[in-house]
Amino acid sequence: MENKLTIKKILKDVWVMKKSIYIYNFLLTTFNILKILLATYILKYIFDVIVIDNNYRKSLIVILAYGIIVLLIEVINKYFINYKLEISNIDFKDKINIKYCSKIENIPFEHFENSDFKDVSNRVISTIADKYISTISIFFAIYGNILLIIGLTSLIVALGYWIVFFVAFSVIISTVITLKISKNSFNRYIQTTNKNRLLSYIKSLFYNRTFIAENRVFDNTDFFKEKYNDTAIERLDIIKKSRIKLFFLEATKSLIEVLLIVMVFAYLVISYFNKKVGVGDIASLVNASQQLNAALISLISILPRLKEIGMYVNDTNVFLSYVNTDEVSKTKVKEINSIEFKNVKFKYPQANSLSINDVSFRIEKGMNISIVGENGAGKSTLIKLLIGLYEQYEGEILINNISLKKCDLKAYTHLFGVVFQDYKLLPKLTVYENVAFALEVTGTDSKQIRKRVINVLGKVGLKHKAKEYPDKLSGGEQQRVAIARAIVNNPKLLICDEPTGNLDPEISMEIMEILETINKDLGTTILMVTHDLEIVKKMKKRVIVLREGRMVKDYEKGSFVDEKF
């Protein structure tokens, strides 16, 4: 399966997208290993010069030369390589984040209502870039540790090979413990994902303008505080249990490291009195044994790190399994001449009953139609099916007599605009910028953007409000901005989901008059979902009535009089 992640593919992606990450990691790792090896070898030389030759001047010169070399390496590493590597990593992370976020648009909408998908997508999108960089770090950690082990082992074997056995004993025990620590950390991460997501959501509510306004009316603060507190306690219990286990594991690991030092010192003291090693040898071997132990543990600990990366790779593949990779050629619709529902049935994932039940109707180009019904009748669900959010339905939805499932959704979505009940305006952008945004995302020329935005703001009577921000506008004005944004791309179909739901009757009629003008002057097909029957009666248009997911009536233009829900 092409849409599948592997460690090999991670390495390849980094190489293709940012080769400099490999170059700077190689230089950084090589210089650091050379610094450690140089320190170990030169330690023996300095002590031998002091104790055997009794030449302090020579030893000071060697120490000074060593200091200059180390200083140069540090300067190169910290002020050049590290800087370049950081910039390369940031650039790569931005690119890989965009790559994975773009996969979201190919995930069927129904999965976003699945809690398992929410958890796995949250883990993947929030950590994927770091996991790529971690994999590269592991790759160069393997290279660096192997280089270090070869250099240190050659020294130890020449001076005191028994130390290798002491180190091996320590490494084996430490490795077993490290594996358990890694597993413990990953399990805690998985167990706290859902808790962290809920806590983050509740916390965000207290900064949400809409929630704050509703809370002033309904006083929900105590409920959400209690929910936050209960979830935080549950998360803390998971962390406590994990930390207790982690404490005993790390304490055992520290004990093994101390035991290694004691064994090495005991061996070297015996060897010194038996005249098998000198003072320089002891200093060098003590340092080398500790460095070798650390290098071996680091190398072996890469195995659980690789396993951990493997777990994240599997997690990512679960996420990727939701991505639709169907490459079947689809029809690119250029016009919307007709829309037809044929015996359409739909049930939400995990729902027990149908939300849309055997609905059939046809809409021709240029029509102005209202779909009415009480709350829960299926009006908004019908819109979601029409704009292609869900594909798992029975029956047929036809665009120009072509099945919607066979249409290229990207091309199709460029043909309609949507007006929502709650406006969906971007609060940090001005009226002009909100409308212009719809053109910017399509790559429209800046001169064309200005011309078209000013023109459409004139159509909805808001040219004088172009520099205002949404929170300075009335509800009716905000809805006009939403309409302007929806029609600035000259859509063939304008879908309005309860466009007057939050407005008073007078403003509602103004909005409806704007929609009628758009329908007449631009020939735009308008499909409006509403439960405001007074508005519908005054507009005298075709009306489709839904009740409990079924289409119970289809009133021709001007024939709708009244309907009781």
Side-chain angles (χ1 to χ4, degrees), residues 109-126 193-194 197 319 322:
F109 189 74
E110 56 260 27
H111 294 314
F112 289 89
E113 298 174 357
N114 182 329
S115 60
D116 290 336
F117 170 75
K118 287 180 181 178
D119 286 341
V120 74
S121 63
N122 183 59
R123 289 196 298 268
V124 169
I125 296 300
S126 63
T193 295
N194 181 266
R197 180 165 59 84
F319 167 76
Y322 289 99

Side-chain angles (χ1 to χ4, degrees), residues 204-214 427 470-472 478:
S204 70
L205 288 177
F206 289 93
Y207 298 92
N208 183 283
R209 185 170 175 268
T210 303
F211 172 79
I212 292 171
E214 291 178 352
D471 61 353
K472 300 297 182 183
Q478 289 187 50

Side-chain angles (χ1 to χ4, degrees), residues 29-48:
T29 303
T30 302
F31 281 148
N32 282 334
I33 298 307
L34 289 176
K35 188 172 67 175
I36 294 171
L37 290 174
L38 182 62
T40 304
Y41 278 89
I42 211 164
L43 198 60
K44 168 179 165 52
Y45 183 78
I46 291 171
F47 272 91
D48 284 343

Side-chain angles (χ1 to χ4, degrees), residues 226-365:
E226 186 177 343
K227 186 68 176 175
Y228 187 95
N229 188 54
D230 291 344
T231 306
I233 291 172
E234 290 173 8
R235 183 182 66 172
L236 188 61
D237 286 340
I238 293 171
I239 294 172
K240 280 180 179 178
K241 291 175 183 177
S242 175
R243 287 298 303 173
I244 291 170
K245 187 175 181 180
L246 190 62
F247 168 76
F248 286 107
L249 289 170
E250 289 181 339
T252 305
K253 189 176 178 181
S254 298
L255 182 63
I256 296 300
E257 290 171 358
V258 171
L259 185 60
L260 171 65
I261 295 172
V262 172
M263 287 192 298
V264 170
F265 268 109
Y267 172 78
L268 290 176
V269 168
I270 293 170
S271 298
Y272 177 76
F273 282 107
N274 288 331
K275 302 188 183 303
K276 291 182 179 180
V277 295
V279 175
D281 297 331
I282 291 175
S284 184
L285 284 169
V286 168
N287 183 59
S289 64
Q290 290 178 324
Q291 294 288 354
L292 180 60
N293 179 64
L296 285 168
I297 289 175
S298 178
L299 183 62
I300 296 175
S301 68
I302 288 172
L303 295 176
R305 285 178 65 193
L306 279 173
K307 185 178 179 181
E308 186 175 321
I309 291 294
M311 292 175 183
Y312 285 112
V313 165
N314 291 337
D315 221 21
T316 302
N317 284 328
V318 172
F319 167 76
L320 292 174
S321 69
Y322 289 99
V323 179
N324 185 4
T325 56
D326 184 9
E327 296 183 359
V328 176
S329 179
K330 294 194 173 185
T331 303
K332 290 190 175 182
V333 182
K334 296 181 180 179
E335 293 280 343
I336 299 180
N337 296 317
S338 66
I339 299 166
E340 186 172 7
F341 277 59
K342 278 188 174 182
N343 308 113
V344 175
K345 295 180 181 180
F346 173 75
K347 183 175 71 172
Y348 283 103
Q350 301 176 347
N352 295 321
S353 59
L354 290 169
S355 296
I356 297 294
N357 193 353
D358 199 26
V359 169
S360 298
F361 63 85
R362 184 178 175 87
I363 301 172
E364 299 295 342
K365 181 179 180 180

Side-chain angles (χ1 to χ4, degrees), residues 372-526:
V372 301
E374 61 187 350
N375 290 333
K379 305 186 301 296
S380 294
T381 302
L382 205 68
I383 297 301
K384 290 176 183 177
L385 293 176
L386 177 59
I387 63 178
L389 290 183
Y390 295 95
E391 292 187 352
Q392 305 304 316
Y393 55 82
E394 296 180 31
E396 286 186 298
I397 299 175
L398 304 175
I399 307 298
N400 305 338
N401 298 318
I402 301 169
S403 172
L404 181 56
K405 294 179 180 179
K406 295 181 179 179
C407 293
D408 184 304
L409 275 181
K410 276 192 175 181
Y412 173 60
T413 54
H414 289 163
L415 298 177
F416 62 75
V418 182
V419 179
F420 298 97
Q421 179 180 353
D422 55 354
Y423 321 131
K424 305 289 186 188
L425 300 181
L426 301 171
K428 301 297 182 182
L429 301 184
T430 63
V431 167
Y432 178 92
E433 290 167 340
N434 262 281
V435 179
F437 181 75
L439 292 170
E440 289 169 355
V441 297
T442 62
T444 305
D445 177 77
S446 58
K447 289 182 180 179
Q448 278 295 313
I449 290 176
R450 178 168 179 76
K451 181 180 177 181
R452 287 166 65 175
V453 171
I454 295 300
N455 179 51
V456 80
L457 286 177
K459 288 183 184 297
V460 298
L462 286 179
K463 190 184 291 187
H464 63 295
K465 297 278 187 176
K467 294 182 179 180
E468 297 285 350
Y469 286 91
D471 61 353
K472 300 297 182 183
L473 305 178
S474 67
E477 288 171 333
Q478 289 187 50
Q479 191 60 286
R480 290 185 189 199
V481 177
I483 292 171
R485 185 177 59 188
I487 66 171
V488 74
N489 273 315
N490 299 320
K492 309 302 179 184
L493 169 67
L494 183 60
I495 300 168
C496 305
D497 190 1
E498 299 282 3
T500 61
N502 294 330
L503 308 176
D504 60 47
E506 184 179 345
I507 301 298
S508 294
M509 278 308 300
E510 290 180 8
I511 295 298
M512 296 308 298
E513 287 168 4
I514 290 173
L515 293 176
E516 187 167 10
T517 300
I518 292 169
N519 175 241
K520 287 181 178 179
D521 293 354
L522 304 179
T524 305
T525 304
I526 293 183

